Amino acid sequence: MRKGGAMTMMMMMVAVALVFSCVSSASAQLDPHFYSHSCPQAQQIVASIVGKAHYQDPRMAASLLRLHFHDCFVKGCDASILLDSTASLASEKRSVPNKDSARGFEVVDEIKAALEAACPRTVSCADVLALAARDSTVMTGGPGWIVPLGRRDSLGASIQGSNNDIPAPNNTLPTIITKFKLQGLDIVDLVALLGSHTIGDSRCTSFRQRLYNQTGNGVPDLTLDASAAAVLRQRCPRSGGDQNLFFLDHVTPFKFDNQYYKNLLANKGVLSSDQVLLTGSPATADLVKLYAANQDIFFQHFAQSMVKMGNVSPLTGASGEVRTNCRSVNHN
Ligand code: HEM
Ligand SMILES: *[C@@H]1O[C@H](CO)[C@@H](O)[C@H](O)[C@H]1NC(C)=O
Ligand SMILES: *[C@@H]1O[C@H](CO)[C@@H](O)[C@H](O)[C@H]1NC(C)=O
């Protein structure tokens, strides 16, 4: 009787364990220790080159963080964004969100070259982007997290996916929420991840519409603070100056903190897509207020959501390949 009870108990525990392993199976394929034996120095190599690049160019942390996002939203986190154009491949670098904007590719090349020298054909370009995003966050004062690894690199790219699936700065909140949902990311992920705009720059062309003609009626976006709008208009005229740069967080532009959310509460978000987090729905507004008041919770949610974004449809096992040069597929 006792023995039978113990057996039943055992079987229930096994069943529960199986259920749990199924629930987490999407991410279970990735493993923080993936390179522990094949390339134990991988994380150190990435961190040291990201550190050097960040020292030489304080904007680089922001640019590397954004590359991981633009990779994951197109065909999953598979380094598709890193492929250059060929006769048969249209690079995602030419898409509207990336053209004249995405940067940091030379740093990725340098990291990859160092990894190939230390452990040939072992560490994927997709994992380089995930690690560089984490290191960039830490180096600017943000939270750290353990990066699940083992992503493999794509054999192709999707410029259509890059144009359609990455949210645009003039998208409405419902459209943005839909695009995040498409990747399995919810409202908490959205509001927390947009906190990335606490560092880095935007070009004039990404927010001109809201300065002059938000809805096509010749009226500016009135949710933008009038004095902030005046400052932005000075270097972002109705025409010309498209590439002029502005800090996304003008208060602490190089520090990963919760100032971004405080700016939103002051109606000083730079992009329309930033400000709609406050004006677009009570649920997102509540999260903006929470993160503005409590940086620890922002950091916790940010770290969790970065891991979640990094788990979007990775190639694993025998799918894809480990590129030797992040800009091109292997020729073998
Ligand atoms: C609704 C979603 C988002 C929209 C519409 C959006 C849009 C933009 C735009 C328009 C820029 C300026 C690009 C330029 O003008 O050159 C930018 C910059 C940036 N974005 Fe986002 N973004 C979104 C979400 C995210 C997420 C999820 C991350 C990271 C997890 C991120 C990280 C960054 C960073 C770090 C920069 C500065 C890059 C640099 O200075 O090189 N963004 N974003
Ligand atoms: C958003 O911006 C794009 C690119 O500038 C433009 O083609 C599109 O018409 C804009 N959409 C809206 C709804 O204003
Ligand atoms: C505002 O945008 C609309 C549609 O994009 C355009 O027809 C109109 O001429 C613009 N108005 C001004 C004042 O720029």
Side-chain angles (χ1 to χ4, degrees):
M1 202 55 202
R2 272 185 85 90
K3 203 176 172 191
M7 276 294 281
T8 310
M9 192 65 178
M10 275 279 282
M11 284 165 68
M12 276 172 60
M13 282 166 66
V14 169
V16 167
L18 279 174
V19 168
F20 271 101
S21 69
C22 288
V23 166
S24 60
S25 68
S27 54
Q29 296 157 316
L30 299 182
D31 173 3
H33 302 293
F34 192 80
Y35 300 115
S36 291
H37 299 291
S38 58
C39 194
Q41 64 276 57
Q43 301 213 22
Q44 173 54 41
I45 289 172
V46 176
S48 78
I49 296 174
V50 171
K52 191 185 73 169
H54 172 236
Y55 177 77
Q56 290 171 349
D57 171 5
R59 182 185 174 195
M60 192 50 74
S63 304
L64 292 171
L65 174 55
R66 186 169 184 237
L67 282 186
H68 183 45
F69 160 52
H70 282 202
D71 179 29
C72 292
F73 267 56
V74 184
K75 300 185 339 101
C77 310
D78 62 355
S80 58
I81 191 177
L82 300 178
L83 291 173
D84 283 341
S85 289
T86 66
S88 58
L89 185 141
S91 174
E92 291 172 18
K93 296 175 187 180
R94 301 191 332 212
S95 72
V96 174
N98 291 334
K99 188 174 182 298
D100 299 324
S101 179
R103 61 197 289 278
F105 300 109
E106 294 76 13
V107 176
V108 174
D109 291 339
E110 191 184 342
I111 294 169
K112 183 59 178 173
L115 288 169
E116 287 302 301
C119 335
R121 292 175 177 262
T122 303
V123 182
S124 69
C125 300
D127 281 344
V128 168
L129 291 180
L131 288 168
R134 188 271 313 272
D135 295 342
S136 294
T137 304
V138 171
M139 279 166 206
T140 47
W145 59 91
I146 293 168
V147 182
L149 298 165
R151 299 167 190 80
R152 288 167 65 86
D153 300 326
S154 73
L155 303 172
S158 174
I159 192 167
Q160 293 90 339
S162 188
N163 279 323
N164 298 334
D165 297 343
I166 295 174
N170 63 353
N171 281 163
T172 61
L173 183 62
T175 299
I176 292 169
I177 290 173
T178 302
K179 288 180 176 178
F180 271 68
K181 213 177 240 170
L182 202 64
Q183 312 292 346
L185 300 173
D186 60 24
I187 285 178
V188 173
D189 300 315
L190 167 65
V191 180
L193 290 173
L194 265 169
S196 298
H197 291 177
T198 179
I199 55 174
D201 294 0
S202 171
R203 293 162 306 154
C204 155
T205 179
S206 298
F207 57 85
R208 174 184 286 126
Q209 185 180 346
R210 69 187 305 232
L211 299 181
Y212 301 104
N213 197 357
Q214 173 73 341
T215 54
N217 301 329
V219 177
D221 180 354
L222 298 173
T223 70
L224 173 61
D225 171 81
S227 67
V231 171
L232 292 175
R233 279 191 204 103
Q234 278 177 7
R235 282 191 64 228
C236 189
R238 277 180 187 275
S239 65
D242 287 11
Q243 309 298 319
N244 288 354
L245 293 177
F246 292 81
F247 294 133
L248 284 162
D249 166 12
H250 63 99
V251 182
T252 54
F254 298 106
K255 189 160 168 41
F256 196 105
D257 56 14
N258 67 340
Q259 182 63 43
Y260 168 79
Y261 302 102
K262 297 177 185 170
N263 296 340
L264 297 185
L265 292 182
N267 306 315
K268 290 178 176 176
V270 171
L271 306 176
S272 170
S273 51
D274 293 325
Q275 200 61 47
V276 294
L277 295 182
L278 184 70
T279 59
S281 85
T284 53
D286 284 349
L287 287 161
V288 168
K289 290 172 198 161
L290 175 67
Y291 298 154
N294 190 328
Q295 180 167 279
D296 290 343
I297 293 187
F298 163 48
F299 278 12
Q300 260 174 48
H301 287 187
F302 184 81
Q304 280 164 14
S305 294
M306 283 297 289
V307 171
K308 208 167 149 187
M309 186 176 82
N311 281 334
V312 173
S313 314
L315 297 171
T316 56
S319 310
E321 64 180 9
V322 174
R323 283 180 218 145
T324 55
N325 175 339
C326 293
R327 292 175 183 268
S328 58
V329 300
N330 295 340
H331 302 292
N332 295 310

